[in-house]
Amino acid sequence: MMKKRNVKSIQGRQVVPNPIGPECIRVTKVYDWVVLTNRDRNKVQIPEECFAAIEDARHDGNTITATCSEVVGTRSCDFIGAIPANIPSVPGAQIVSLAFHVHIRVQFFCNGEPLPGCNFVVPVSFMDEVILCFPEGTEINCNIFDVQCTVVLNQMLGDMVVLDVTMCKDVQVEAEVKLEVEAKFCGPRPVIPIQEDGFVCPTPRFPQQCPTFFPTLNCDCQGSADFSGEASILVFEDGLGGPTTGNLDLTALVCDQCTLAGSRIQVTYIDTLGPSPTPPGTPDADIDQSFTFTANDFEQPTCVTDPVTGLVTGLTATGTGVITPAGGVPENATFTLTLADADPLGDTATLFITGATSTVTIALTDAANPGLEVEVGDCERFPV
């Protein structure tokens, strides 16, 4: 009978338990990160042989179609130069010029069959200027991650054809550093508008981070609200207006994926006009109180926590946007959005919008507005 041996599993030099703690690592640090999108229509010369074949085919009553697609392996990006940007609170910010290139293959078809001599390649380039945290000692790492192309056949101009090209680009500022870290995923920030005048940046001895705008501060909570249907709200424009009922379409995302950049609010309201007031001579009640509103900048939200469960049940978000009244001109506005997640049938969403001439109050509840969906949750900073 074989003697039983005491066999233990091999554990190597692992530490048990293995808690999360600070570590020193050598990594490529991202000092700034933006995503850019270009869409443009480019006029392209059709080769002489191909143009002659197209004209002959059309003369005979045939149907001409065309396609365009990216040539694999032709994406490239060139750093052109940089000048200081006028952002006093961010030393190291510069206006960086970049050139992006790709080759596009164009092919024409006659009644669905390839047209001889009509398969050719053309270069397409985009120039971009973008504000980046680009201090001395860092490098630009840029790449194209998507290219879409369409041939606009109804805009052929003689022997020229128009290509509608969309290019998506990723730009990062990097340097190799040693860090002690506890980390979580981050995302790109919104693009900063370029101002006209600039200033000479002080030259730091070592690369400095730009904490005022990158990395973006992660949120402590996140929330969403969605409603589409008839609703009663308050709308005032130039002192006129009041309660009004119409069709409301509201979508709100606050800190989607727990990043402030993943926030948006879009409101469309179509007023249902009522009967004219009496007696005659009073102001006309049939004022069109329709409007649209789009939020374009968010502050960090304030989270509301249940004192018993410790769960996040609500939040308040503030920021700025643009409101456009019916028949009016767009105007800058501030907003305050308050969400409460109290299932079942206790959800509420309240939005206050204040512009130069317009004010709006939208107060939605599950009871008065069936179909309202509100979700609010916590953002864990590190996994346990």
Side-chain angles (χ1 to χ4, degrees), residues 285-310:
D286 287 354
I287 302 173
D288 189 355
Q289 294 171 282
S290 304
F291 69 91
T292 62
F293 173 75
T294 302
N296 53 29
D297 188 56
F298 287 76
E299 301 293 333
Q300 284 287 339
T302 301
C303 310
V304 178
T305 304
D306 187 293
V308 178
T309 64

Side-chain angles (χ1 to χ4, degrees), residues 239-258:
L240 300 177
T244 173
T245 300
N247 188 61
L248 175 68
D249 191 353
L250 181 149
T251 301
L253 283 175
V254 179
C255 291
D256 189 30
Q257 302 298 315
C258 291

Side-chain angles (χ1 to χ4, degrees), residues 84-94 131 195 197-202 208 212-213:
N86 186 20
I87 308 181
S89 61
V90 186
Q94 300 200 43
I131 290 180
Q195 309 210 353
D197 52 347
F199 75 104
V200 178
C201 293
Q208 296 180 354
T212 55
F213 67 86

Side-chain angles (χ1 to χ4, degrees), residues 121-132:
V121 174
V122 295
V124 173
S125 298
F126 288 104
M127 290 287 297
D128 271 306
E129 285 189 329
V130 58
I131 290 180
L132 295 171

Side-chain angles (χ1 to χ4, degrees), residues 219-222 258 303 310-312 376-381:
C219 304
D220 291 325
C221 57
Q222 58 185 335
C258 291
C303 310
L311 299 176
V312 174
V376 180
D378 190 16
C379 289
E380 294 185 359
R381 292 201 172 276

Side-chain angles (χ1 to χ4, degrees), residues 229-233 235 244-249 267-273 287-292 324 326:
E230 187 176 79
S232 296
I233 65 175
V235 180
T244 173
T245 300
N247 188 61
L248 175 68
D249 191 353
V267 180
T268 301
Y269 177 72
I270 306 299
D271 186 18
T272 302
L273 300 180
I287 302 173
D288 189 355
Q289 294 171 282
S290 304
F291 69 91
T292 62
T324 305

Side-chain angles (χ1 to χ4, degrees), residues 54-333:
I54 292 172
E55 291 296 285
D56 290 342
R58 283 178 167 169
H59 184 267
D60 294 336
N62 296 298
T63 300
I64 298 297
T65 57
T67 62
C68 61
S69 60
E70 173 194 2
V71 178
V72 176
T74 62
R75 298 177 181 178
S76 65
C77 169
D78 296 324
F79 168 68
I80 305 302
I83 60 175
N86 186 20
I87 308 181
S89 61
V90 186
Q94 300 200 43
I95 300 175
V96 178
S97 298
L98 301 165
F100 296 87
H101 316 281
V102 71
H103 285 186
I104 299 294
R105 182 177 299 279
V106 182
Q107 185 166 11
F108 283 85
F109 299 84
C110 176
N111 299 328
E113 296 295 327
L115 200 58
C118 285
N119 187 333
F120 56 94
V121 174
V122 295
V124 173
S125 298
F126 288 104
M127 290 287 297
D128 271 306
E129 285 189 329
V130 58
I131 290 180
L132 295 171
C133 172
F134 184 36
E136 185 178 344
T138 56
E139 296 180 350
I140 298 291
N141 182 354
C142 54
N143 73 91
I144 302 167
F145 62 86
D146 194 20
V147 176
Q148 300 292 331
C149 182
T150 304
V151 180
V152 188
L153 279 175
N154 61 355
Q155 292 191 14
M156 284 188 65
L157 308 171
D159 61 349
M160 306 285 287
V161 66
V162 176
L163 305 183
D164 190 327
V165 180
T166 300
M167 186 183 292
C168 302
K169 294 101 59 182
D170 177 280
V171 182
Q172 295 186 152
V173 182
E174 302 173 345
E176 186 177 280
V177 297
K178 293 181 178 67
L179 296 176
E180 180 181 314
V181 298
E182 285 182 336
K184 65 184 294 185
F185 288 112
C186 62
R189 62 166 174 79
V191 175
I192 298 174
I194 294 178
Q195 309 210 353
E196 293 297 325
D197 52 347
F199 75 104
V200 178
C201 293
T203 303
R205 184 176 178 183
F206 298 104
Q208 296 180 354
Q209 183 69 10
C210 298
T212 55
F213 67 86
F214 186 86
T216 54
L217 181 61
N218 289 305
C219 304
D220 291 325
C221 57
Q222 58 185 335
S224 65
D226 185 78
F227 177 79
S228 182
E230 187 176 79
S232 296
I233 65 175
L234 289 174
V235 180
F236 291 91
E237 185 179 358
D238 289 324
L240 300 177
T244 173
T245 300
N247 188 61
L248 175 68
D249 191 353
L250 181 149
T251 301
L253 283 175
V254 179
C255 291
D256 189 30
Q257 302 298 315
C258 291
T259 62
L260 196 61
S263 302
R264 68 184 181 92
I265 298 176
Q266 181 67 51
V267 180
T268 301
Y269 177 72
I270 306 299
D271 186 18
T272 302
L273 300 180
S276 298
T278 57
T282 59
D284 187 1
D286 287 354
I287 302 173
D288 189 355
Q289 294 171 282
S290 304
F291 69 91
T292 62
F293 173 75
T294 302
N296 53 29
D297 188 56
F298 287 76
E299 301 293 333
Q300 284 287 339
T302 301
C303 310
V304 178
T305 304
D306 187 293
V308 178
T309 64
L311 299 176
V312 174
T313 59
L315 63 80
T316 298
T318 60
T320 60
V322 176
I323 185 171
T324 305
V329 296
E331 59 186 53
N332 294 328

